[in-house]
């Protein structure tokens, strides 16, 4: 009995010690386990980052539980059950506090897009200044990816809880990998891989951001781009994206356009070992760093297809030459925001 009590006391003490020591992150270490402020691995895949009133919010796929390959799968559509969309908050982009699961799975309704049996991927959140709502768009799909739809949820607070409004095909077109972008004039757009992932659609949204407004263009026609991450630098628009090879890595491309629904031209921005495979990552978002000029972080997921919960993150600096506007994403094993200090 005494021995059991001693073991229990030791366990509590060592947990306490571990807990207290939940280390402050000083560096980004791409591909390594990245712990939140409680010492747990960050679980926010295919995510996006919103800056709101001095805080960054990171939303992502909350992947919990076993990864399976469904018995009827004719391609490597490894999956975990839908458990919701997570949110983390941070002031410095390195240390993230878990804010909980802000869009929850709905196990009680097997018709719901949020039922565990379905697919919820690539959540992105934007803030609507007019309605004062936080608006989340997700890729909502069936387990065989045949539904190819988008879903929308809203919240009054960045940390939820988000209320799911429903799913649909934007402009009656297929929509899979997707992202959102708000332009300086407040107009928002959804970029989504459509037409069986062959062609990217750029869908302009209604003023409340919860539906497409009916105006859209087809871009990257037949180029099979996925994983779009859109940002603006100066007066130009940029889209980082991947090719289309399931959970496996391929080459990244960075495209640029003078106007958002205009013509886009492409090149590969990654440099360093394994650059041609995007360092084994796939783009998910690009974060403009507040208070720093010309400073952006390019965020990638490093998927582990047979254990999706253990997928890692690759966050790298996006380096801009202000003279030529040339952009590169150089590999770093360890870095922090001081990399931007000597950049103009
Ligand atoms: C690639 C997409 O980018 C991911 O979000 C996911 O849908 C996988 N395909 C599924 O194979």
């Amino acid at each position: 009995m005494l021995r059991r009590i001693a073991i229990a006391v030791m366990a509590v003490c060592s947990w306490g010690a571990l807990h207290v020591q939940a280390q402050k992150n000083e560096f980004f270490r791409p591909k390594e386990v990245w712990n939140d402020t409680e010492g747990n691995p960050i679980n926010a895949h295919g995510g996006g980052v919103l800056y709101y009133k001095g805080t960054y919010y990171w939303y992502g796929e909350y992947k919990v539980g076993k990864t399976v390959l469904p018995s009827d799968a004719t391609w490597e559509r490894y999956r975990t059950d839908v458990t919701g969309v997570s949110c983390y908050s941070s002031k410095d982009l390195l240390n993230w506090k878990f804010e909980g699961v802000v869009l929850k799975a709905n196990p009680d309704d097997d018709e719901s897009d949020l039922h565990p049996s379905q697919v919820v991927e690539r959540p992105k959140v934007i803030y609507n200044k007019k309605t004062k709502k936080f608006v989340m768009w997700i890729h909502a799909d069936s387990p065989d990816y045949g539904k190819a739809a988008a879903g929308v949820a809203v919240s009054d607070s960045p940390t939820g809880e988000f209320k799911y409004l429903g799913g649909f095909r934007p402009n009656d077109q297929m929509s899979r990998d997707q992202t959102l972008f708000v332009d300086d004039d407040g107009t928002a757009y959804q970029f989504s891989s459509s037409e069986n992932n062959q062609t990217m659609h750029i869908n302009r949204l209604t003023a409340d951001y919860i539906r497409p407004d009916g105006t859209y263009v087809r871009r990257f026609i037949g180029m099979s781009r996925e994983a779009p991450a859109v940002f603006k630098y100066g007066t130009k628009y940029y889209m980082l994206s991947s090719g289309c090879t399931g959970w496996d890595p391929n080459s990244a491309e960075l495209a640029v356009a003078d106007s958002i629904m205009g013509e886009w031209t492409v090149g590969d921005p990654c440099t360093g070992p394994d650059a041609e495979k995007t360092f084994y990552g796939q783009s998910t978002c690009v974060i403009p760093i507040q208070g720093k000029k010309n400073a952006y972080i390019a965020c990638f997921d490093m998927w582990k297809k047979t254990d999706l919960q253990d997928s890692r993150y690759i966050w790298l600096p996006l380096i801009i030459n202000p003279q030529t506007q040339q952009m590169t994403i150089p590999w770093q094993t360890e870095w922090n925001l001081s990399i931007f200090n000597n950049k103009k």
Side-chain angles (χ1 to χ4, degrees):
M1 181 64 177
L2 266 180
R3 198 164 158 261
R4 268 201 214 146
I5 292 171
I7 290 172
V9 169
M10 273 163 63
V12 168
C13 290
S14 60
W15 181 84
L18 268 180
H19 193 68
V20 171
Q21 278 167 18
Q23 275 179 358
K24 218 174 164 221
N25 299 314
E26 306 284 349
F27 296 98
F28 298 100
R29 293 199 173 90
K31 301 188 180 182
E32 296 200 8
V33 173
W34 189 355
N35 284 339
D36 66 14
T37 52
E38 284 168 21
N40 300 311
I42 294 174
N43 191 336
H45 310 277
V49 174
L50 168 74
Y51 180 79
Y52 177 72
K53 292 195 175 168
T55 301
Y56 296 92
Y57 295 90
W58 176 358
Y59 303 89
E61 298 158 27
Y62 192 59
K63 290 198 177 296
V64 178
K66 211 172 150 36
T67 298
V68 294
L69 183 60
S71 54
D72 62 343
T74 51
W75 57 284
E76 287 193 326
R77 54 179 172 89
Y78 286 98
R79 57 169 282 111
T80 55
D81 279 355
V82 171
T83 46
V85 173
S86 55
C87 174
Y88 293 79
S89 65
S90 172
K91 299 270 184 203
D92 65 3
L93 293 158
L94 275 165
N95 295 283
W96 293 90
K97 175 176 178 267
F98 183 50
E99 297 284 358
V101 177
V102 296
L103 178 67
K104 297 201 172 23
N106 184 354
D108 300 328
D109 178 3
D110 55 16
E111 298 283 300
S112 168
D113 293 337
L114 304 177
H115 188 264
S117 62
Q118 300 300 292
V119 167
V120 169
E121 291 178 351
R122 298 193 178 269
K124 302 288 179 294
V125 175
I126 51 180
Y127 177 64
N128 189 305
K129 286 184 185 153
K130 283 192 198 134
T131 61
K132 300 196 173 11
K133 300 270 185 205
F134 295 83
V135 183
M136 178 189 293
W137 282 58
I138 57 169
H139 167 196
D141 224 321
S142 45
D144 63 358
Y145 288 83
K147 185 159 63 185
V152 177
V154 291
S155 166
D156 293 327
S157 137
T159 52
E161 183 171 340
F162 282 78
K163 182 178 183 289
Y164 193 60
L165 303 180
F168 52 88
R169 283 188 168 181
N171 301 308
D172 289 328
Q173 301 290 316
M174 288 184 183
S175 178
R176 292 200 180 94
D177 277 13
Q178 60 107 40
T179 195
L180 300 175
F181 174 76
V182 182
D183 208 348
D184 300 335
D185 66 358
T187 309
Y189 301 82
Q190 185 221 18
F191 283 60
S192 81
S193 303
S194 191
E195 303 179 30
N196 262 328
N197 297 346
Q198 296 294 295
T199 294
M200 187 69 60
H201 285 194
I202 305 174
N203 301 312
R204 202 172 67 190
L205 305 187
T206 50
D208 56 10
Y209 301 168
I210 63 174
R211 300 291 295 191
D213 78 356
T215 299
Y216 74 101
V217 292
R218 303 168 63 235
R219 291 292 179 263
F220 306 92
I221 294 170
M223 291 168 74
S224 301
R225 303 314 296 168
E226 281 194 318
V230 178
F231 62 102
K232 193 171 185 179
Y233 169 66
T235 58
K236 292 188 194 291
Y237 300 86
Y238 293 84
M239 185 187 85
L240 186 61
S241 68
S242 75
C244 188
T245 51
W247 296 112
D248 297 331
N250 52 55
S251 303
E253 275 181 7
L254 184 63
V256 59
D258 288 329
S259 78
I260 199 157
M261 286 180 146
E263 296 307 321
W264 293 75
T265 48
V266 290
D268 184 349
C270 299
T271 62
D274 302 319
E276 72 292 349
K277 288 268 184 218
T278 318
F279 321 112
Y280 291 93
Q282 186 185 29
S283 46
T284 189
C285 65
V286 172
I287 310 170
I289 299 170
Q290 300 298 313
K292 284 190 188 273
K293 248 186 156 185
N294 308 340
Y296 295 80
I297 301 179
C299 306
F300 304 87
D301 293 286
M302 187 173 78
W303 300 114
K304 189 167 177 183
K305 64 185 175 190
T306 54
D307 185 6
L308 286 162
Q309 181 179 334
D310 189 33
S311 298
R312 308 278 170 85
Y313 312 99
I314 300 176
W315 284 25
L316 291 167
L318 184 113
I319 305 290
I320 306 172
N321 178 328
Q323 270 82 47
T324 60
Q325 302 196 348
Q326 175 81 27
M327 295 188 182
T328 51
I329 302 173
W331 172 253
Q332 318 280 314
T333 40
E334 183 177 282
W335 69 285
N336 62 25
L337 299 185
S338 66
I339 200 167
F340 296 111
N341 287 353
N342 53 0
K343 302 275 180 299
K344 290 255 159 50

